[in-house]
Amino acid sequence: MSEPSRALVLFSGGQDSSVCLAWALDRYEHVETVGFDYGQRHAVEMAQREVVRTQISEAFPNWAGRLGPDHVLDLRGFGAVGETAMTQDRAFEVTEKGLPNTFVPGRNLVFLTYAAALADRRGLKFLVGGMCETDFSGYPDCRRDTLDALQSALNMGMAQDFAIETPLMWLTKAETWSLSKSLGGEALVELILEDSHTCYKGERGTRHDWGHGCGACPACELRVRGYDQWVAAGRPALEARMR
Ligand code: ZN
């Protein structure tokens, strides 16, 4: 008998990690979530996490039984080290390395290391994250090569057998919408449109066809473009082979 498959989703309440949560619930028998408080500019991001979890449980009863506890880890000390536009009220710009100044050096490495320590304690094997190479943000710690190296380091350093799963790694933002539709149909698409939060500015007033947000910050721009491309393509579901 194989043991039940147990996963931990790095869950920010954003579009990508909300899709990752659905992907994990579709796939694993027990799924817990972890969020990181690193002094984000806006509390709305943290608040939407619980909304997405609750809405997913209510809309998808077969997933509700698989959804385990949520964990929030305090990484404010790390946030203070990597102070950038993400945590300070500074303009968005591109640094001399060609990286947006929203890049917090090593952030995903730290998140995954904390997640792995938690997963060790909770008996969770699969670490699921929304990292993606396709959106050209250029974050070096979102690359699959980086994550392969980190997975090896974590497994050696913790005497573990973790697998870092990145279901969005090779998908465009439009294809991420397609994945949502293939996992949970229009109900999941609407849930993610309405409840996931992407906007760097914490704007949740007007509901646009692509969701809530200012529509102008880099995160909103990416979200709007991806949604528009998906609509232009006829809102297709993802082909089963890509799941
Ligand atoms: Zn925005």
Side-chain angles (χ1 to χ4, degrees), residues 64-192:
R66 299 178 169 194
L67 183 58
D70 181 39
H71 312 269
V72 175
L73 301 180
D74 183 348
L75 287 184
R76 283 171 181 266
F78 176 70
V81 173
E83 279 184 352
T84 67
M86 194 63 108
T87 49
Q88 289 183 326
D89 287 325
R90 199 191 288 173
F92 296 104
E93 54 190 45
V94 175
T95 69
E96 63 276 11
K97 283 185 192 165
L99 294 170
N101 70 342
T102 49
F103 175 66
V104 180
R107 188 175 67 171
N108 279 315
L109 307 180
V110 172
F111 284 4
L112 279 160
T113 302
Y114 271 76
L118 176 66
D120 181 285
R121 284 292 178 264
R122 300 286 307 164
L124 309 167
K125 174 185 165 68
F126 300 94
L127 307 177
V128 182
M131 291 69 108
C132 173
E133 284 198 25
T134 319
D135 63 17
F136 303 111
S137 307
Y139 295 173
D141 60 349
C142 288
R143 293 183 192 137
R144 191 60 232 188
D145 283 354
T146 306
L147 300 178
D148 285 341
L150 181 63
Q151 178 178 293
S152 297
L154 291 171
N155 285 334
M156 282 192 270
M158 296 189 190
Q160 265 287 3
D161 187 27
F162 295 126
I164 298 176
E165 298 288 350
T166 52
L168 311 186
M169 182 57 73
W170 310 111
L171 302 184
T172 64
K173 287 291 177 204
E175 287 169 332
T176 299
W177 287 114
S178 297
L179 176 60
S180 303
K181 186 168 175 178
S182 71
L183 289 168
E186 287 294 339
L188 183 63
V189 170
E190 175 54 30
L191 192 162
I192 290 171

Side-chain angles (χ1 to χ4, degrees), residues 3-14:
E3 292 177 15
S5 55
R6 294 167 60 86
L8 179 64
V9 178
L10 279 71
F11 182 56
S12 71

